[in-house]
Amino acid sequence: TEYTTDVVVIGGGGAGLAAAVSAHQNGVKVIVLEKMPRLGGNTILSGGAFNAASSPRQVAQGIEDSVDKHFTQTYEGGDKLGNPELIRTLVENAYPAVEWLESLGMKFNAEVFTVLGGLWPRAHKPSSPLGTGFIETYQNYINSNEGIEVLLDTEALELIVVEGKITGVKAKGLKGEVIVNANNGVVLATGGFGANSKMVEQYNKSWPSLANVKTTNHPGATGDGLRMGEAVGANLIGLENLQLLPLGDPKTGSLSGNIEQGVENRIFVNKSGNRFVDEGARRDVMTKALLQQEDSFLWIVLDSINYPTPETRNNFNETIEELIAQGRAFKGDTLEELAGKINVDPKNLVKSVEEFNKAVKSGGPDEFGRTLFDAPIEKGPFYAAPRVPTIHHTMGGIEINKYAQVLNKSGEVIPGLYAAGEVTGGIHGSNRLGGNALADITVFGRIAGQSAAEKNS
Ligand code: ADP
């Protein structure tokens, strides 16, 4: 089958759908190719945290923040390996992207929070569970406007090049070959390679072998876009920068079952019941510290202020009692009782919590350098849940400029080719802040759609 449209978007995750809607809003027709039987990518599985500074929500909560602070934390949090121009674009356009999503009908909660490894309370939380709100919002736009066609079960295989310009995509659908010609250009939004264990092993430099480490990623995150981009001369950068989280589910690697509600009100202890890291630190710092602990295993420990009612849900839409019933969380009316349930030394656990509570009162920094605190852990019942390292994000990828145009190895624009989202590299450096991925993919997805809609760019 052969189609012709203005803009082809490869990948129906958060970046691709933002690009599709944005291109359409800029007056062109769009076809989205998605290899899986449904839209959503990693966005739909994510906790939904969306960092944006200078938000009126922060002002209402009395939280001090600025676009500059978001810039500095992002840049330094990635060891200054990210491209400052792209980071600037990300942080300046993050709150406008929240407003854009709201203009499309998406709802966010009234309060921002600090997400794991986010370093600051600037994460906006969708009112719908997980990342479903983003995908439903885009889906509603697609349903209620003519001009965006979605081809599911359609895997892009290669980009079509005519005289150095990208003019379309060759793909494979359930019924065979699909060719999509693009009058304007093609947006690569195929995501990262966290679910491709071969590529992970190939590029891994900074972690021990990851052969037995599971992933939070959906199975389609196999790095296809990197291959397709490379075949037409795109420059790939920073592929060695792999992000692990310390809070994977021990059985599946997924983020479900993570009982934390933001970073301020919980601690991590190892199998001996001792704390070992600043739980408000960078993700790489926390995961490296976890890998030093017995069996690379931790317990999240918190109290009932995190679960004030039986209806209270975590970021993954689970109640604590559901998790306890599944054997994925444990409860004790006292810390000693909890220690017995999770088989750690009660004296150590009690001491860890006492020391933590002292730091809460003094405001820190504590012996691990922790400065993010809210309330002490003192109101029973107390809860714990087991977590292990998990592969989460691939910071490297295709090099782009601030217009989301793809660059070749000489730094020149490849005409007709754009990229956005986790398939790109050069923004997050060695370590991405928690809450910056949804901001990144939305900001650059929007830009890519707009750039691709404008002819001759
Ligand atoms: P991002 O966060 O950048 O949007 P995701 O991984 O969430 O990245 O989404 C990428 C989407 O692209 C997924 O839905 C994935 O199934 C899809 N995808 C990956 N490779 C291809 C391909 N070769 N053809 C079509 N879709 C693809």
PDB file of all heavy atoms in Angstrom, residues 429-456:
ATOM      1  N   GLY A 429      22.748  14.521  29.065  1.00  0.00           N
ATOM      2  CA  GLY A 429      24.104  14.190  29.477  1.00  0.00           C
ATOM      3  C   GLY A 429      24.193  12.797  30.063  1.00  0.00           C
ATOM      4  O   GLY A 429      23.618  11.852  29.553  1.00  0.00           O
ATOM      5  N   SER A 430      24.895  12.700  31.202  1.00  0.00           N
ATOM      6  CA  SER A 430      25.148  11.386  31.787  1.00  0.00           C
ATOM      7  C   SER A 430      24.003  10.896  32.662  1.00  0.00           C
ATOM      8  O   SER A 430      23.954   9.721  33.020  1.00  0.00           O
ATOM      9  CB  SER A 430      26.406  11.469  32.650  1.00  0.00           C
ATOM     10  OG  SER A 430      26.199  12.474  33.626  1.00  0.00           O
ATOM     11  N   ASN A 431      23.081  11.795  33.010  1.00  0.00           N
ATOM     12  CA  ASN A 431      22.022  11.437  33.960  1.00  0.00           C
ATOM     13  C   ASN A 431      20.837  12.384  33.770  1.00  0.00           C
ATOM     14  O   ASN A 431      21.005  13.589  33.870  1.00  0.00           O
ATOM     15  CB  ASN A 431      22.562  11.565  35.402  1.00  0.00           C
ATOM     16  CG  ASN A 431      21.465  11.484  36.450  1.00  0.00           C
ATOM     17  OD1 ASN A 431      20.894  10.417  36.678  1.00  0.00           O
ATOM     18  ND2 ASN A 431      21.150  12.599  37.081  1.00  0.00           N
ATOM     19  N   ARG A 432      19.672  11.810  33.492  1.00  0.00           N
ATOM     20  CA  ARG A 432      18.484  12.645  33.295  1.00  0.00           C
ATOM     21  C   ARG A 432      17.753  12.852  34.617  1.00  0.00           C
ATOM     22  O   ARG A 432      17.537  11.895  35.364  1.00  0.00           O
ATOM     23  CB  ARG A 432      17.547  11.977  32.284  1.00  0.00           C
ATOM     24  CG  ARG A 432      16.258  12.751  32.077  1.00  0.00           C
ATOM     25  CD  ARG A 432      15.365  12.154  31.033  1.00  0.00           C
ATOM     26  NE  ARG A 432      14.868  10.835  31.368  1.00  0.00           N
ATOM     27  CZ  ARG A 432      13.964  10.575  32.314  1.00  0.00           C
ATOM     28  NH1 ARG A 432      13.478  11.549  33.069  1.00  0.00           N
ATOM     29  NH2 ARG A 432      13.570   9.342  32.544  1.00  0.00           N
ATOM     30  N   LEU A 433      17.353  14.088  34.899  1.00  0.00           N
ATOM     31  CA  LEU A 433      16.557  14.334  36.103  1.00  0.00           C
ATOM     32  C   LEU A 433      15.194  13.669  35.961  1.00  0.00           C
ATOM     33  O   LEU A 433      14.587  13.712  34.897  1.00  0.00           O
ATOM     34  CB  LEU A 433      16.297  15.835  36.316  1.00  0.00           C
ATOM     35  CG  LEU A 433      17.421  16.823  36.549  1.00  0.00           C
ATOM     36  CD1 LEU A 433      16.860  18.085  37.196  1.00  0.00           C
ATOM     37  CD2 LEU A 433      18.550  16.259  37.360  1.00  0.00           C
ATOM     38  N   GLY A 434      14.709  13.107  37.067  1.00  0.00           N
ATOM     39  CA  GLY A 434      13.349  12.593  37.087  1.00  0.00           C
ATOM     40  C   GLY A 434      12.374  13.699  36.735  1.00  0.00           C
ATOM     41  O   GLY A 434      12.541  14.840  37.181  1.00  0.00           O
ATOM     42  N   GLY A 435      11.383  13.404  35.935  1.00  0.00           N
ATOM     43  CA  GLY A 435      10.382  14.399  35.555  1.00  0.00           C
ATOM     44  C   GLY A 435      10.754  15.202  34.321  1.00  0.00           C
ATOM     45  O   GLY A 435       9.937  15.957  33.797  1.00  0.00           O
ATOM     46  N   ASN A 436      12.004  15.039  33.835  1.00  0.00           N
ATOM     47  CA  ASN A 436      12.416  15.787  32.647  1.00  0.00           C
ATOM     48  C   ASN A 436      12.085  15.079  31.341  1.00  0.00           C
ATOM     49  O   ASN A 436      12.145  15.686  30.286  1.00  0.00           O
ATOM     50  CB  ASN A 436      13.927  16.072  32.679  1.00  0.00           C
ATOM     51  CG  ASN A 436      14.253  17.412  33.325  1.00  0.00           C
ATOM     52  OD1 ASN A 436      13.355  18.130  33.773  1.00  0.00           O
ATOM     53  ND2 ASN A 436      15.531  17.748  33.377  1.00  0.00           N
ATOM     54  N   ALA A 437      11.757  13.774  31.389  1.00  0.00           N
ATOM     55  CA  ALA A 437      11.521  13.068  30.123  1.00  0.00           C
ATOM     56  C   ALA A 437      10.215  13.528  29.486  1.00  0.00           C
ATOM     57  O   ALA A 437      10.173  13.854  28.295  1.00  0.00           O
ATOM     58  CB  ALA A 437      11.504  11.561  30.324  1.00  0.00           C
ATOM     59  N   LEU A 438       9.146  13.571  30.268  1.00  0.00           N
ATOM     60  CA  LEU A 438       7.871  13.983  29.682  1.00  0.00           C
ATOM     61  C   LEU A 438       7.944  15.430  29.210  1.00  0.00           C
ATOM     62  O   LEU A 438       7.361  15.789  28.186  1.00  0.00           O
ATOM     63  CB  LEU A 438       6.730  13.755  30.676  1.00  0.00           C
ATOM     64  CG  LEU A 438       6.364  12.267  30.807  1.00  0.00           C
ATOM     65  CD1 LEU A 438       5.509  12.015  32.038  1.00  0.00           C
ATOM     66  CD2 LEU A 438       5.631  11.785  29.561  1.00  0.00           C
ATOM     67  N   ALA A 439       8.690  16.264  29.961  1.00  0.00           N
ATOM     68  CA  ALA A 439       8.869  17.650  29.517  1.00  0.00           C
ATOM     69  C   ALA A 439       9.636  17.673  28.196  1.00  0.00           C
ATOM     70  O   ALA A 439       9.228  18.328  27.229  1.00  0.00           O
ATOM     71  CB  ALA A 439       9.607  18.442  30.594  1.00  0.00           C
ATOM     72  N   ASP A 440      10.722  16.919  28.132  1.00  0.00           N
ATOM     73  CA  ASP A 440      11.554  16.853  26.922  1.00  0.00           C
ATOM     74  C   ASP A 440      10.738  16.385  25.708  1.00  0.00           C
ATOM     75  O   ASP A 440      10.693  17.040  24.669  1.00  0.00           O
ATOM     76  CB  ASP A 440      12.728  15.895  27.212  1.00  0.00           C
ATOM     77  CG  ASP A 440      13.516  15.486  25.979  1.00  0.00           C
ATOM     78  OD1 ASP A 440      13.245  15.978  24.875  1.00  0.00           O
ATOM     79  OD2 ASP A 440      14.425  14.628  26.139  1.00  0.00           O
ATOM     80  N   ILE A 441      10.067  15.246  25.859  1.00  0.00           N
ATOM     81  CA  ILE A 441       9.398  14.678  24.677  1.00  0.00           C
ATOM     82  C   ILE A 441       8.240  15.559  24.217  1.00  0.00           C
ATOM     83  O   ILE A 441       7.954  15.635  23.022  1.00  0.00           O
ATOM     84  CB  ILE A 441       8.935  13.220  24.921  1.00  0.00           C
ATOM     85  CG1 ILE A 441       7.779  13.158  25.917  1.00  0.00           C
ATOM     86  CG2 ILE A 441      10.092  12.354  25.390  1.00  0.00           C
ATOM     87  CD1 ILE A 441       7.193  11.777  26.062  1.00  0.00           C
ATOM     88  N   THR A 442       7.602  16.252  25.157  1.00  0.00           N
ATOM     89  CA  THR A 442       6.487  17.123  24.770  1.00  0.00           C
ATOM     90  C   THR A 442       7.016  18.393  24.111  1.00  0.00           C
ATOM     91  O   THR A 442       6.539  18.802  23.045  1.00  0.00           O
ATOM     92  CB  THR A 442       5.630  17.469  26.005  1.00  0.00           C
ATOM     93  OG1 THR A 442       5.338  16.264  26.718  1.00  0.00           O
ATOM     94  CG2 THR A 442       4.323  18.128  25.591  1.00  0.00           C
ATOM     95  N   VAL A 443       8.017  19.008  24.746  1.00  0.00           N
ATOM     96  CA  VAL A 443       8.590  20.238  24.184  1.00  0.00           C
ATOM     97  C   VAL A 443       9.161  19.980  22.790  1.00  0.00           C
ATOM     98  O   VAL A 443       8.833  20.674  21.821  1.00  0.00           O
ATOM     99  CB  VAL A 443       9.688  20.802  25.123  1.00  0.00           C
ATOM    100  CG1 VAL A 443      10.543  21.842  24.410  1.00  0.00           C
ATOM    101  CG2 VAL A 443       9.053  21.382  26.383  1.00  0.00           C
ATOM    102  N   PHE A 444      10.015  18.964  22.679  1.00  0.00           N
ATOM    103  CA  PHE A 444      10.663  18.739  21.380  1.00  0.00           C
ATOM    104  C   PHE A 444       9.729  18.064  20.376  1.00  0.00           C
ATOM    105  O   PHE A 444       9.877  18.263  19.167  1.00  0.00           O
ATOM    106  CB  PHE A 444      11.996  17.995  21.552  1.00  0.00           C
ATOM    107  CG  PHE A 444      13.082  18.910  22.028  1.00  0.00           C
ATOM    108  CD1 PHE A 444      13.423  18.975  23.373  1.00  0.00           C
ATOM    109  CD2 PHE A 444      13.736  19.761  21.144  1.00  0.00           C
ATOM    110  CE1 PHE A 444      14.407  19.846  23.829  1.00  0.00           C
ATOM    111  CE2 PHE A 444      14.713  20.647  21.590  1.00  0.00           C
ATOM    112  CZ  PHE A 444      15.051  20.687  22.932  1.00  0.00           C
ATOM    113  N   GLY A 445       8.760  17.299  20.858  1.00  0.00           N
ATOM    114  CA  GLY A 445       7.750  16.757  19.946  1.00  0.00           C
ATOM    115  C   GLY A 445       6.981  17.894  19.285  1.00  0.00           C
ATOM    116  O   GLY A 445       6.785  17.928  18.065  1.00  0.00           O
ATOM    117  N   ARG A 446       6.588  18.850  20.116  1.00  0.00           N
ATOM    118  CA  ARG A 446       5.874  20.015  19.595  1.00  0.00           C
ATOM    119  C   ARG A 446       6.711  20.785  18.579  1.00  0.00           C
ATOM    120  O   ARG A 446       6.226  21.192  17.529  1.00  0.00           O
ATOM    121  CB  ARG A 446       5.625  20.969  20.771  1.00  0.00           C
ATOM    122  CG  ARG A 446       4.221  21.157  21.136  1.00  0.00           C
ATOM    123  CD  ARG A 446       4.165  22.197  22.246  1.00  0.00           C
ATOM    124  NE  ARG A 446       3.389  23.341  21.808  1.00  0.00           N
ATOM    125  CZ  ARG A 446       3.269  24.450  22.520  1.00  0.00           C
ATOM    126  NH1 ARG A 446       3.891  24.570  23.681  1.00  0.00           N
ATOM    127  NH2 ARG A 446       2.528  25.438  22.065  1.00  0.00           N
ATOM    128  N   ILE A 447       7.990  20.984  18.929  1.00  0.00           N
ATOM    129  CA  ILE A 447       8.875  21.733  18.025  1.00  0.00           C
ATOM    130  C   ILE A 447       9.072  20.964  16.722  1.00  0.00           C
ATOM    131  O   ILE A 447       9.012  21.538  15.628  1.00  0.00           O
ATOM    132  CB  ILE A 447      10.240  22.014  18.709  1.00  0.00           C
ATOM    133  CG1 ILE A 447      10.042  22.984  19.878  1.00  0.00           C
ATOM    134  CG2 ILE A 447      11.254  22.554  17.705  1.00  0.00           C
ATOM    135  CD1 ILE A 447      11.287  23.185  20.743  1.00  0.00           C
ATOM    136  N   ALA A 448       9.286  19.656  16.831  1.00  0.00           N
ATOM    137  CA  ALA A 448       9.518  18.842  15.630  1.00  0.00           C
ATOM    138  C   ALA A 448       8.302  18.911  14.705  1.00  0.00           C
ATOM    139  O   ALA A 448       8.439  19.037  13.481  1.00  0.00           O
ATOM    140  CB  ALA A 448       9.809  17.390  16.015  1.00  0.00           C
ATOM    141  N   GLY A 449       7.112  18.839  15.284  1.00  0.00           N
ATOM    142  CA  GLY A 449       5.894  18.900  14.467  1.00  0.00           C
ATOM    143  C   GLY A 449       5.785  20.232  13.741  1.00  0.00           C
ATOM    144  O   GLY A 449       5.454  20.290  12.555  1.00  0.00           O
ATOM    145  N   GLN A 450       6.116  21.283  14.474  1.00  0.00           N
ATOM    146  CA  GLN A 450       6.037  22.616  13.874  1.00  0.00           C
ATOM    147  C   GLN A 450       7.098  22.786  12.782  1.00  0.00           C
ATOM    148  O   GLN A 450       6.808  23.267  11.681  1.00  0.00           O
ATOM    149  CB  GLN A 450       6.233  23.671  14.959  1.00  0.00           C
ATOM    150  CG  GLN A 450       6.013  25.078  14.430  1.00  0.00           C
ATOM    151  CD  GLN A 450       6.226  26.122  15.516  1.00  0.00           C
ATOM    152  OE1 GLN A 450       6.304  25.784  16.706  1.00  0.00           O
ATOM    153  NE2 GLN A 450       6.325  27.374  15.115  1.00  0.00           N
ATOM    154  N   SER A 451       8.322  22.367  13.083  1.00  0.00           N
ATOM    155  CA  SER A 451       9.396  22.490  12.084  1.00  0.00           C
ATOM    156  C   SER A 451       9.061  21.700  10.828  1.00  0.00           C
ATOM    157  O   SER A 451       9.256  22.176   9.714  1.00  0.00           O
ATOM    158  CB  SER A 451      10.723  21.959  12.644  1.00  0.00           C
ATOM    159  OG  SER A 451      11.167  22.749  13.706  1.00  0.00           O
ATOM    160  N   ALA A 452       8.542  20.494  11.016  1.00  0.00           N
ATOM    161  CA  ALA A 452       8.247  19.649   9.861  1.00  0.00           C
ATOM    162  C   ALA A 452       7.081  20.222   9.057  1.00  0.00           C
ATOM    163  O   ALA A 452       7.007  20.038   7.834  1.00  0.00           O
ATOM    164  CB  ALA A 452       7.932  18.224  10.313  1.00  0.00           C
ATOM    165  N   ALA A 453       6.175  20.922   9.739  1.00  0.00           N
ATOM    166  CA  ALA A 453       5.029  21.497   9.027  1.00  0.00           C
ATOM    167  C   ALA A 453       5.440  22.690   8.170  1.00  0.00           C
ATOM    168  O   ALA A 453       4.850  22.944   7.125  1.00  0.00           O
ATOM    169  CB  ALA A 453       3.952  21.924  10.032  1.00  0.00           C
ATOM    170  N   GLU A 454       6.450  23.412   8.641  1.00  0.00           N
ATOM    171  CA  GLU A 454       6.920  24.566   7.867  1.00  0.00           C
ATOM    172  C   GLU A 454       7.782  24.053   6.734  1.00  0.00           C
ATOM    173  O   GLU A 454       8.782  23.389   6.959  1.00  0.00           O
ATOM    174  CB  GLU A 454       7.763  25.490   8.766  1.00  0.00           C
ATOM    175  CG  GLU A 454       6.943  26.199   9.808  1.00  0.00           C
ATOM    176  CD  GLU A 454       7.807  26.820  10.894  1.00  0.00           C
ATOM    177  OE1 GLU A 454       9.050  26.697  10.842  1.00  0.00           O
ATOM    178  OE2 GLU A 454       7.204  27.432  11.807  1.00  0.00           O
ATOM    179  N   LYS A 455       7.424  24.377   5.508  1.00  0.00           N
ATOM    180  CA  LYS A 455       8.197  23.872   4.371  1.00  0.00           C
ATOM    181  C   LYS A 455       9.578  24.512   4.323  1.00  0.00           C
ATOM    182  O   LYS A 455       9.822  25.550   4.919  1.00  0.00           O
ATOM    183  CB  LYS A 455       7.438  24.170   3.085  1.00  0.00           C
ATOM    184  CG  LYS A 455       6.377  23.109   2.811  1.00  0.00           C
ATOM    185  CD  LYS A 455       6.274  22.857   1.334  1.00  0.00           C
ATOM    186  CE  LYS A 455       5.540  21.555   1.114  1.00  0.00           C
ATOM    187  NZ  LYS A 455       5.063  21.452  -0.243  1.00  0.00           N
ATOM    188  N   ASN A 456      10.470  23.880   3.594  1.00  0.00           N
ATOM    189  CA  ASN A 456      11.829  24.393   3.321  1.00  0.00           C
ATOM    190  C   ASN A 456      12.699  24.513   4.556  1.00  0.00           C
ATOM    191  O   ASN A 456      13.748  25.128   4.505  1.00  0.00           O
ATOM    192  CB  ASN A 456      11.785  25.782   2.656  1.00  0.00           C
ATOM    193  CG  ASN A 456      10.923  25.785   1.428  1.00  0.00           C
ATOM    194  OD1 ASN A 456      10.943  24.821   0.669  1.00  0.00           O
ATOM    195  ND2 ASN A 456      10.161  26.832   1.249  1.00  0.00           N
TER     196      ASN A 456
END
